[in-house]
Amino acid sequence: MTESEAPAGRYEQDGHAPRFTPADPAHPTTAEIPFIYPAHWEADVVLRDGATANLRPVVPTDRAALEKMYAGQSERTIYLRFFTHKPTLSDKELTRFTTVDHNNRVAFVIMLGDEMIGIGRYDRTHNPTEAEVAFMISDAHQGRGIGSILLEHLAAAANERGIDRFSAEVLPQNRKMLNVFTDAGYEISREFEDGLVMVYFNIDPTDRSRGVMEAREHRAEAKSIAELLAPDTVAVIGTAPRWEANGHKVIKTLVAGGFTGTLYGVNENQLPAGEVPIYPSIGEVPARVDLAIIAVPIAEVAAAVEACGEAGVRGVLIYTSGYADDGARGRARQKALVKSARSHGMRVIGPASFGLLNNNPGVRLDATISAQDPKPGALGLFSQSSAIGAMFSNTAVKRNIGVSSLVSAGNRADVSGNDIMQYWEDDEATRVCALYLESIGNPRKFSRIARRLSRVKPVLVAKNAVTGQQLPPGHSGRTSIAPTEALDAMFKQAGVISAETFDQVLDVAQVLVSQPLPAGRRVAILSNASALGQIIADKSEALNIDVRVTESMLRLTDDGIDGLEVLEDVATSALEASDIDAAIGVFLTGDSIDPKDVARVLYRAGKRTGKPVVAAFPGTLSFDAALRGIWEDPDERTPAPAEGDTAGESAPLLQEGLPCFESPGASILALASVMDYVEWREKETGVLATPENVSPKAAAADIAQHLTQVSGENLLDVPASATEELLAHYGISLLPEYGFDTAEEAVEAAARAGGYPVVLKTTDDFLRHRIDLGGVRLGIESDTELISEVAQMHRVLEPYGRFDLTVQKQAPAGQTAVLTGIEDPLIGPVVSFGMAGDATSLLEDWAHRIPPLTERDVYKMVRSPKAAAKLFADGDLPQVRVDLLEDLCARVALMKDNHPEIAYLEFNPVLLSQETLTVVGAKIRLGNPQQRTDSARRTMSS
């Protein structure tokens, strides 16, 4: 950069990070714009109709695009925006609208490729916390939800810049714009002045505004996936040299699967594929294509995606590998591929995808590279890995589990598990949702969607041991530094049934798709081996299953007695009992007993009583005789609907059959997982924990002042006095402590602390919690004792160094707990709770939760550590004020949720007595905040 090109402005510390200030803030030069451009505000978004677009801050080079959009606007649109007729924008206006400082004046544009389809802006008023907003949406793109998206992103940016209130001048006849403000969920106030409607509203996210945003996000993302999974028109793009091996093969699979829509083939030589019409290019296909399946070598994929975008294709499925799974070069190719697709409004499944399957009889889309696919049913499957996608599919076939849809995201470049869950929520054919996740790009959004979905449909997740901790080949994003248990806690909070393997997920799935949900945890165990029955009972009780009946002497072969008839009577009688919610049948079978006969009896008993039954047949030597998966009784099967009968077009509520296992342990574990889910759904109200007397804005102001001392990735230890003030904004009182240098000052400090008894402690972060190492002295009752203890502590600690000492009022005796919070790069805020001592420090006896927390989350959190039994009158210990502890946890969770600048927070110790809770020690460290992956604005994963 030459001297003449260098920006004339300067950098200043402002709140979160150094901010560049132009020489003339009202008119930054072109050379200065890149230095102040807030790249983290860029986002790919899904419009109301399911298409994608790019939202970003405006830049001066957008003049031409704005001028072109303006030229296409109707006179009415221009009048509603400018309150007058203006055939063109002047040079001065074009400059003003496209040159902003991204602080006092902010503007966002929504682009489809090079076409601007909307622009929204705010200008800070004379009141520094208020800004005036205005929008202009292209006439050609009205009704796509562009105004609502712009408002969400402007509000998020304004909050970041210290603005909490928007105003707007609107003509009374501009109902569309008035509805944008009203429908956003904000509390709107209106005034009429000089023929205009003056609109005012606070932009801090509320429960209602968040609900509106999430509902719009859900509808848009579900629609974008529906167009891929239920397309009216599909085009298969292949290359001439490999047509038979790829493109033609895919077409044959689609035809054999009975695809109900219109199918085309694309290859430059127009090689035949049966009766399917073939065209030399996607642009020559005579209909708009919803889904293009790309099966070409990697060198030709980018051109194929670009051609699809230019032809107006809505989404692409890419089988080809060699992208992010091929190192840095491949990641660059993948990023460019997604950028190209989204610029044209397309979604991308893949690259390196195993394919798609939609078994809905009205669609019958089989775009998988598999010889045999699962039959129609109620289970939705999603996999990030192509290999695991194939294993999901093949294992579902082996287990006879019916599948509604299957999506393999491959490298998860665009379409993710979050998108698929949005679709499944509305899909009547999907009753159970199962996902295999190697990485999680947006955990907070996942948790939010999964929690909502789990209330109506079970969500099962298989993850590996390092999910979230490291990225698999082909995936990009952040990784977590939080304990692995934090991700498990997030799943539990959301009602997700998690497992370590996809096999375990299908264990639970086969129960959920074929059995009614149990009303409780009370079971009857049925077996023909007493030792086996006892083992099953012990395992059940270890999983918190209440064993009410154990019938483990059921002889299936006995002269003069029909063992199967006895079994049916016992099973039916047990299940009919009001205190039984489910039955577990575990039977050893041999040459004289066919396990299918036993399965038939158990299935009929369950069907007759409407209660769930699972069965296990261990030790079967004959592979053919072994029962795995859902066994269906051919005599009980409901006839298939007649050809043309639309009444059977959605999957049945329950697949007819009995879930069978080889391992008794797997059957019990699957049933326990289902019971855990039912318990969560019944008890989780979704009501957020909302402590009273908190002042987030005051806390944010204090934090902003301290952040001026933070640079780069360094952390700032907040001084004790400032920590006390910051906690007070959240209604948290900290027991003060007083430092001293001399014996006389120590006596004065004891008086300031409130008199004896007092505690003497060192300021060293480690030793101040270790009575055994001499860093703490309790119960000091007099001046003489205090002076003696000061001298003694200096002598004891001398081998470790010379430390300052403090005096603190001794809190009431009781149980001692620890509460911490961190800002994780992947997950965001993580709050952890444990009892002080070796149980926590050595045995990792922690409970972790991800804010925001519901009341149920808080309740479970303080009861999850094993050592927490000491809080609840365990043994001879007295009951302490757990309600005060729950309140403290709720306040800390809210603080961490509101302030990502708090990089680390620790309350140690927290003393709980029969009457009080005392926060004895607190530490807060601040840092430049992570840009959290989920916020009050809609955005796709990057």
Side-chain angles (χ1 to χ4, degrees):
M1 178 182 290
T2 65
E3 185 174 346
S4 61
E5 294 173 322
R10 64 188 184 281
Y11 282 99
E12 294 178 336
Q13 194 73 30
D14 183 10
H16 298 292
R19 180 176 295 158
F20 180 82
T21 301
D24 181 359
H27 302 93
T29 66
T30 301
E32 291 170 331
I33 290 292
F35 291 83
I36 60 175
Y37 181 81
H40 67 279
W41 285 347
E42 294 180 348
D44 289 322
V45 295
V46 182
L47 306 181
R48 181 179 296 163
D49 58 2
T52 63
N54 178 252
L55 179 146
R56 59 169 173 76
V58 74
V59 291
T61 52
D62 288 324
R63 286 171 58 101
L66 174 59
E67 192 171 25
K68 183 177 180 181
M69 184 180 79
Y70 189 89
Q73 301 294 75
S74 67
E75 289 186 3
R76 174 176 171 78
T77 297
I78 294 172
Y79 179 74
L80 293 177
R81 168 62 182 86
F82 293 99
F83 312 152
T84 186
H85 295 291
K86 292 173 62 67
T88 60
L89 293 174
S90 67
D91 285 343
K92 183 177 180 180
E93 288 171 323
L94 286 170
T95 299
R96 173 171 172 75
F97 293 152
T98 58
T99 306
V100 299
D101 63 6
H102 305 296
N103 181 20
N104 295 317
R105 299 179 60 244
V106 169
F108 290 127
V109 295
I110 293 188
M111 308 291 292
L112 272 178
D114 296 329
E115 180 188 3
M116 184 184 295
I117 62 175
I119 182 169
R121 62 184 304 102
Y122 78 67
D123 291 84
R124 201 186 300 254
T125 67
H126 64 279
N127 180 347
T129 64
E130 183 177 310
E132 183 178 354
V133 291
F135 304 87
M136 185 166 66
I137 313 301
S138 169
D139 280 352
H141 297 275
Q142 294 281 344
R144 304 184 74 183
I146 295 171
S148 299
I149 293 174
L150 285 168
L151 178 59
E152 286 174 16
H153 285 255
L154 284 171
N159 273 318
E160 189 176 321
R161 296 298 194 231
I163 295 168
D164 54 29
R165 179 177 165 91
F166 274 172
S167 62
E169 294 181 344
V170 185
L171 288 169
Q173 58 267 46
N174 194 351
R175 302 301 305 172
K176 287 184 178 179
M177 188 50 59
L178 290 171
N179 288 340
V180 167
F181 298 134
T182 303
D183 295 344
Y186 299 114
E187 293 294 331
I188 306 293
S189 63
R190 305 184 188 190
E191 298 177 3
F192 290 91
E193 183 178 321
D194 297 331
L196 297 175
V197 181
M198 303 299 297
V199 178
Y200 303 92
F201 53 97
N202 292 329
I203 58 174
D204 283 340
T206 64
D207 290 343
R208 183 166 178 261
S209 66
R210 287 191 186 97
V212 168
M213 183 208 76
E214 292 171 13
R216 286 175 171 160
E217 173 190 68
H218 165 69
R219 289 192 297 268
E221 293 180 357
K223 184 173 178 60
S224 73
I225 299 304
E227 291 182 331
L228 304 180
L229 273 170
D232 292 325
T233 305
V234 171
V236 178
I237 303 175
T239 56
R242 301 174 59 190
W243 180 243
E244 286 295 327
N246 51 39
H248 190 191
K249 183 178 179 181
V250 174
I251 289 175
K252 286 194 292 186
T253 300
L254 287 162
V255 172
F259 176 55
T260 60
T262 305
L263 183 60
Y264 297 98
V266 175
N267 76 71
E268 58 185 5
N269 292 349
Q270 293 185 266
L271 298 174
E275 298 180 359
V276 175
I278 309 296
Y279 292 88
S281 70
I282 188 70
E284 296 178 62
V285 172
R288 194 198 78 168
V289 174
D290 297 312
L291 175 66
I293 300 174
I294 298 177
V296 300
I298 190 170
E300 301 177 31
V301 173
V305 169
E306 185 66 23
C308 287
E310 293 174 354
V313 175
R314 299 306 297 267
V316 294
L317 165 64
I318 303 174
Y319 295 132
T320 314
S321 59
Y323 283 88
D325 48 311
D326 187 30
R329 179 182 59 178
R331 288 194 296 272
R333 282 197 298 261
Q334 181 168 300
K335 187 174 182 179
L337 192 74
V338 174
K339 183 176 180 180
S340 171
R342 288 181 176 175
S343 71
H344 291 289
M346 294 192 301
R347 302 302 308 264
V348 177
I349 297 178
S353 172
F354 168 72
L356 294 177
L357 176 71
N358 186 347
N359 274 327
N360 187 311
V363 180
R364 294 204 288 267
L365 175 71
D366 181 1
T368 63
I369 47 179
S370 177
Q372 187 176 359
D373 294 307
K375 69 180 187 179
L379 177 65
L381 292 173
F382 171 84
S383 170
Q384 288 178 356
S385 161
S386 178
I388 299 298
M391 294 171 69
F392 253 147
S393 178
N394 295 337
T395 307
V397 172
K398 290 180 180 179
R399 293 186 181 219
N400 191 35
I401 302 174
V403 168
S404 60
S405 57
L406 182 151
V407 177
S408 165
N411 290 355
R412 202 205 65 197
D414 176 22
V415 170
S416 68
N418 290 346
D419 296 304
I420 301 304
M421 288 194 297
Q422 300 276 37
Y423 167 80
W424 280 335
E425 186 175 349
D426 295 339
D427 182 35
E428 294 182 358
T430 301
R431 182 174 176 267
V432 179
C433 311
L435 306 92
Y436 177 79
L437 302 177
E438 292 183 317
S439 62
I440 304 178
N442 192 335
R444 280 164 67 82
K445 182 175 179 180
F446 172 90
S447 178
R448 171 166 55 84
I449 297 172
R451 188 188 288 263
R452 188 182 67 234
L453 178 58
S454 293
R455 293 192 182 107
V456 292
K457 300 178 182 182
V459 178
L460 297 83
V461 170
K463 62 179 185 64
N464 57 38
V466 295
T467 298
Q469 306 294 314
Q470 64 187 46
L471 293 173
H475 294 248
S476 60
R478 301 174 178 181
T479 55
S480 174
I481 60 173
T484 55
E485 295 83 4
L487 200 60
D488 294 330
M490 184 189 76
F491 288 150
K492 290 180 180 178
Q493 284 177 246
V496 169
I497 303 170
S498 62
E500 297 299 325
T501 68
F502 79 95
D503 256 326
Q504 291 175 1
V505 160
L506 291 180
D507 284 346
V508 182
Q510 69 184 37
V511 176
L512 287 167
V513 299
S514 65
Q515 300 298 300
L517 293 175
R521 307 185 74 90
R522 303 165 300 180
V523 302
I525 295 175
L526 310 175
S527 181
N528 61 343
S530 58
L532 184 57
Q534 186 58 51
I535 292 173
I536 302 306
D538 293 343
K539 178 67 174 177
S540 298
E541 290 173 356
L543 292 170
N544 199 28
I545 294 176
D546 182 6
V547 178
R548 292 294 180 93
V549 173
T550 301
E551 292 282 356
S552 57
M553 296 294 290
L554 295 168
R555 298 180 180 275
L556 300 180
T557 56
D558 199 348
D559 293 339
I561 298 176
D562 188 337
L564 292 174
E565 186 175 317
V566 172
L567 172 60
E568 184 159 7
D569 289 341
V570 171
T572 302
S573 177
L575 287 167
E576 285 177 341
S578 60
D579 62 344
I580 296 295
D581 302 308
I584 304 171
V586 182
F587 289 89
L588 298 173
T589 59
D591 294 336
S592 59
I593 294 294
D594 188 340
K596 295 183 180 66
D597 291 333
V598 179
R600 181 177 293 107
V601 170
L602 295 176
Y603 170 68
R604 288 176 178 173
K607 186 176 182 180
R608 187 177 300 120
T609 59
K611 294 180 180 179
V613 179
V614 300
F617 299 96
T620 303
L621 295 177
S622 171
F623 183 85
D624 293 335
L627 296 187
R628 304 174 181 86
I630 301 176
W631 176 80
E632 293 181 352
D633 186 348
D635 297 332
E636 297 283 341
R637 190 176 300 163
T638 301
E643 187 71 28
D645 182 4
T646 59
E649 289 203 353
S650 62
L653 291 178
L654 289 174
Q655 183 175 337
E656 296 177 338
L658 179 73
C660 298
F661 301 82
E662 286 184 279
S663 164
S667 69
I668 301 164
L669 188 60
L671 183 60
S673 297
V674 173
M675 290 175 170
D676 290 342
Y677 165 71
V678 171
E679 184 176 357
W680 174 88
R681 197 164 77 167
E682 289 178 348
K683 294 182 178 179
E684 178 54 64
T685 62
V687 177
L688 291 177
T690 52
E692 298 179 345
N693 301 319
V694 296
S695 303
K697 287 188 179 297
D702 283 0
I703 289 171
Q705 290 181 355
H706 292 296
L707 281 175
T708 59
Q709 305 171 52
V710 176
S711 61
E713 296 183 359
N714 295 324
L715 299 181
L716 172 71
D717 285 307
V718 179
S721 59
T723 296
E724 190 173 350
E725 293 174 2
L726 182 56
L727 294 177
H729 294 312
Y730 278 85
I732 301 171
S733 298
L734 179 63
L735 188 65
E737 55 184 293
Y738 303 92
F740 59 88
D741 293 319
T742 66
E744 293 76 11
E745 291 177 356
V747 172
E748 293 174 2
R752 292 172 61 197
Y756 298 103
V758 297
V759 175
L760 177 68
K761 62 178 67 174
T762 175
T763 56
D764 181 76
D765 285 343
F766 175 72
L767 293 172
R768 66 189 279 112
H769 301 300
R770 298 300 300 264
I771 295 178
D772 56 333
L773 297 179
V776 184
R777 291 284 194 276
L778 303 175
I780 299 173
E781 295 284 359
S782 67
D783 294 349
T784 303
E785 187 178 352
L786 175 59
I787 293 171
S788 173
E789 291 288 359
V790 168
Q792 175 70 8
M793 183 171 287
H794 279 308
R795 285 194 300 271
V796 170
L797 296 182
E798 188 173 359
Y800 304 106
R802 182 73 181 179
F803 306 103
D804 291 333
L805 305 181
T806 65
V807 165
Q808 193 174 39
K809 180 69 175 177
Q810 180 156 320
Q815 297 301 324
T816 311
V818 181
L819 195 60
T820 68
I822 65 169
E823 186 69 18
D824 184 72
L826 175 68
I827 300 174
V830 180
V831 177
S832 304
F833 165 74
M835 301 300 294
D838 290 343
T840 299
S841 59
L842 298 181
L843 303 179
E844 297 296 324
D845 187 23
W846 289 95
H848 306 283
R849 292 296 183 272
I850 315 300
L853 302 188
T854 65
E855 293 175 351
R856 179 71 178 169
D857 291 334
V858 174
Y859 177 89
K860 295 286 287 184
M861 180 181 184
V862 302
R863 290 161 176 80
S864 294
K866 292 182 175 63
K870 295 189 293 184
L871 301 173
F872 300 94
D874 182 56
D876 296 329
L877 297 174
Q879 174 85 37
V880 300
R881 290 295 300 276
V882 177
D883 59 323
L884 297 179
L885 176 61
E886 291 173 338
D887 180 72
L888 178 63
C889 290
R891 293 177 187 277
V892 171
L894 184 62
M895 176 183 286
K896 272 305 297 132
D897 199 28
N898 287 338
H899 306 293
E901 303 89 352
I902 299 177
Y904 180 77
L905 176 151
E906 178 183 278
F907 289 171
N908 185 14
V910 178
L911 282 176
L912 290 141
S913 73
Q914 291 175 274
E915 301 296 335
T916 63
L917 177 148
T918 308
V919 180
V920 177
K923 180 192 303 180
I924 294 178
R925 290 175 178 163
L926 302 180
N928 286 320
Q930 297 280 345
Q931 294 298 329
R932 287 183 181 167
T933 54
D934 193 36
S935 64
R937 61 191 185 112
R938 282 174 280 173
T939 177
M940 301 166 67
S941 59
S942 58

